[in-house]
Amino acid sequence: MSILQLKLLGFSGKIKILHLTWTAFFISFVVWFNHAPLMLMIMDSVNLTESEVNILLLLNFALPIPARIIIGMVVDRFGARISYSTLLALSSLPCFAFAMAESFQQLAWARFCLGFIGAGFVIGIRIIGDWFPARQVGVAEGIYGGWGNFGSAAATILLPGLALYFGAENGWRYAIAVTGILSLAYALIYYRNVEDTPPDVPYLKPRRSGAMEVTSIKDLFLYICTTVPLYTAMSLLTWQLSTPEADLLSTPWVIAINIIIWALFFFQACQIVDINAERLSRPIDSIHHYPFKQITILSVAYLMTFGSKLAVVSMLPMFFFTIYRETQAVSMIDAGLMASSFIVMNLIARPVGGWLSDRIGRKLSLTMFLAGTSLGYYLMSFIAGDWPILMTISMTVLCSIFLQAAEGAVFAIAPLIKRPMTGQIAGIVGAYGNAGAIFFLALMGHVAPSTFFIILAVCALASAILARRLEEPKEFITEIMPDGTLVKIELD
């Protein structure tokens, strides 16, 4: 199924849902990253220090980890129409608060709360998976993720000019407020124009909320173990906010927050056991069986791809400026344009990754793209100031293509594991992406760039090897409808 056969220029049926949903994701990323291109203006206006700026950047990634898991449960229970509309509307409030902030503390709290909008990605994974057949779901999810992700780049391109249009002193406030208005307005548009499923197709819901149902004792323990890195990432972020460079949290606060974090882990583990204990005590019909290792492997792959992408995007401008400023007189603006080559390929590479998954097999595609990512990062470790700029950009683009195609391949598989729990599955996998950003950002500050790229190459290769343990989705799945009847859902 080619991309052109989706008839993307149309605006009815599933294509309408695709366009409305990637636009919602696009707007959520504009709002989530609306501060980054305006940070110099914000620094001057509110008199922020460099350490305070770094704290704001870290806080942007704090809430999406638990938020993606929570939103996954919400969308499985209430549907994408209500979930996305509510998220966009509510997220406009901290957006307005950030625009009106007069101190670092006010900025920090508003930015922390705005991180919740980063969970919007999960909602679209569910509704696209429900509207598109499996032979098209890879490319559809790729378009959704690739085009929606471009919202962060659009914010970088458009918001500085918008801020200057409104005026130098408070222009950044008006520019950020505009993104809040956009989010609020689109919440109404999305609610009035979207349906959760195609006509006459019931919305499949999990039988219980609070945790996913698994089908074996082994998967129960794997499920609990899979949540550990997410809480570890939040603990790591807490520690980063207490370092002398950040100096935001005192030792008593760090201890208290870590107690809360691991108490939440214990509570979730108890929820997982409580929801699954009774059903695991008796035989489970084969139609309900699914291998939880699929979720764990996809989570690790997304930690590697999306997590490393966020870290690399953060360091590339300064890296290029540092190595080229003396040999080729590259300015910070030039370095930023060079670095943008890494992210702009998302528009094409992610949909192509999903399309190839539909065409040649999902397991093979993901393994191939992760191996290519490993090679790309390894080659980037050799980049130096004596390289021609064109060669450096070519190497950066090559790595980016494999990396973002792998992201598309991950979510060509996720919607096909267990339809009623697609939101929760996407929530865990997506949360791993944010956790990866925290892990890699923490690592980045302690090693040289060449060493950092080699470590990323090794991690990508390990993920590729792990991906070989995936099971190719079956030709069909059987689900129980709300009225108790069985329906066979074709996956070809």
Side-chain angles (χ1 to χ4, degrees):
M1 177 61 63
S2 73
I3 295 175
L4 293 177
Q5 284 177 293
L6 283 180
K7 299 180 181 179
L8 294 176
L9 295 180
F11 200 75
S12 61
K14 62 188 177 186
I15 300 301
K16 173 186 175 182
I17 298 298
L18 175 60
H19 285 314
L20 287 171
T21 304
W22 79 252
T23 303
F25 183 33
F26 179 94
I27 291 172
S28 72
F29 257 52
V30 169
V31 174
W32 192 19
F33 291 99
N34 59 13
H35 64 305
L38 304 174
M39 196 54 75
L40 288 176
M41 297 181 188
I42 298 172
M43 284 182 69
D44 291 338
S45 177
V46 192
N47 296 317
L48 300 179
T49 65
E50 286 190 16
S51 63
E52 289 172 337
V53 168
N54 290 332
I55 291 169
L56 290 178
L57 295 176
L58 282 172
L59 287 173
N60 207 43
F61 297 110
L63 202 54
I65 295 176
R68 288 189 170 191
I69 296 174
I70 294 169
I71 289 295
M73 297 178 187
V74 170
V75 69
D76 282 342
R77 178 59 57 183
F78 298 103
R81 176 174 173 246
I82 292 175
S83 301
Y84 233 147
S85 301
T86 303
L87 180 66
L88 289 169
L90 292 180
S91 295
S92 68
L93 301 179
C95 189
F96 295 141
F98 191 87
M100 295 185 288
E102 297 289 347
S103 67
F104 166 69
Q105 288 75 18
Q106 293 173 353
L107 287 171
W109 278 109
R111 183 49 49 186
F112 175 77
C113 294
L114 263 175
F116 211 92
I117 202 170
F121 168 72
V122 173
I123 303 172
I125 294 297
R126 172 70 201 248
I127 191 172
I128 299 299
D130 283 343
W131 272 85
F132 283 81
R135 65 181 181 275
Q136 295 178 327
V137 76
V139 65
E141 297 283 16
I143 291 170
Y144 165 70
W147 295 6
N149 253 305
F150 195 70
S152 59
T156 301
I157 295 168
L158 299 175
L159 291 186
L162 186 61
L164 292 175
Y165 171 78
F166 284 120
E169 184 176 355
N170 290 310
W172 69 270
R173 298 183 185 275
Y174 293 110
I176 287 179
V178 165
T179 66
I181 294 171
L182 180 64
S183 181
L184 185 60
Y186 197 77
L188 180 61
I189 294 172
Y190 195 80
Y191 182 81
R192 296 185 64 177
N193 290 278
V194 166
E195 296 296 333
D196 291 323
T197 59
D200 303 322
V201 175
Y203 189 74
L204 299 176
K205 299 181 180 181
R207 286 174 291 182
R208 298 187 64 180
S209 300
M212 290 189 292
E213 293 180 330
V214 296
T215 54
S216 71
I217 297 294
K218 177 183 175 182
D219 282 354
L220 178 68
F221 283 104
L222 182 58
Y223 183 6
I224 294 172
C225 290
T226 300
T227 65
V228 172
L230 302 178
Y231 292 93
T232 303
M234 289 188 280
S235 282
L236 177 59
L237 179 61
T238 302
W239 170 77
Q240 287 181 293
L241 295 176
S242 68
T243 59
E245 294 79 13
D247 196 27
L248 181 66
L249 298 175
S250 62
T251 300
W253 272 107
V254 172
I255 295 172
I257 292 173
N258 271 290
I259 290 173
I260 293 172
I261 289 172
W262 291 104
L264 288 173
F265 164 74
F266 181 75
F267 174 77
Q268 186 182 13
C270 290
Q271 282 280 95
I272 293 170
V273 172
D274 179 61
I275 285 176
N276 287 283
E278 183 180 349
R279 69 192 304 267
L280 291 176
S281 65
R282 60 182 185 272
I284 298 174
D285 291 339
S286 59
I287 63 170
H288 295 302
H289 280 227
Y290 73 96
F292 194 86
K293 72 175 184 180
Q294 300 281 91
I295 301 171
T296 303
I297 294 171
L298 293 181
S299 297
V300 172
Y302 204 62
L303 179 148
M304 175 61 237
T305 53
F306 185 75
S308 70
K309 180 176 74 175
L310 292 181
V312 170
V313 166
S314 300
M315 60 85 70
L316 273 186
M318 185 57 68
F319 171 63
F320 288 151
F321 176 70
T322 301
I323 65 173
Y324 280 124
R325 62 181 172 182
E326 294 182 1
T327 58
Q328 304 198 37
V330 168
S331 68
M332 275 302 296
I333 294 176
D334 295 331
L337 290 173
M338 291 173 62
S340 68
S341 64
F342 190 81
I343 191 67
V344 74
M345 295 309 299
N346 201 52
L347 283 170
I348 302 171
R350 190 158 179 164
V352 168
W355 172 69
L356 277 175
S357 295
D358 294 338
R359 297 278 293 182
I360 67 173
R362 303 172 198 279
K363 175 180 174 179
L364 173 61
S365 298
L366 180 57
T367 304
M368 180 177 67
F369 295 141
L370 287 171
T373 300
S374 177
L375 176 62
Y377 275 139
Y378 177 71
L379 294 175
M380 286 185 71
S381 71
F382 293 100
I383 293 176
D386 58 352
W387 278 35
I389 289 179
L390 181 59
M391 185 176 175
T392 295
I393 293 176
S394 299
M395 198 62 64
T396 302
V397 168
L398 176 66
C399 181
S400 174
I401 289 173
F402 281 112
L403 175 74
Q404 295 178 102
E407 292 178 355
V410 166
F411 283 100
I413 301 172
L416 305 179
I417 296 174
K418 191 69 173 174
R419 284 289 176 93
M421 299 190 299
T422 295
Q424 294 176 77
I425 292 169
I428 291 177
V429 176
Y432 258 73
N434 285 94
I438 293 173
F439 290 138
F440 290 127
L441 284 168
L443 173 66
M444 189 174 65
H446 295 86
V447 297
S450 59
T451 305
F452 182 61
F453 286 127
I454 290 176
I455 292 173
L456 293 182
V458 172
C459 292
L461 182 59
S463 299
I465 294 171
L466 186 62
R468 294 299 302 160
R469 295 180 60 84
L470 280 169
E471 297 180 16
E472 196 72 33
K474 300 176 182 178
E475 295 181 356
F476 64 89
I477 56 176
T478 304
E479 297 290 358
I480 300 178
M481 296 292 103
D483 61 1
T485 60
L486 298 180
V487 62
K488 181 186 289 187
I489 301 175
E490 298 290 339
L491 297 184
D492 271 336

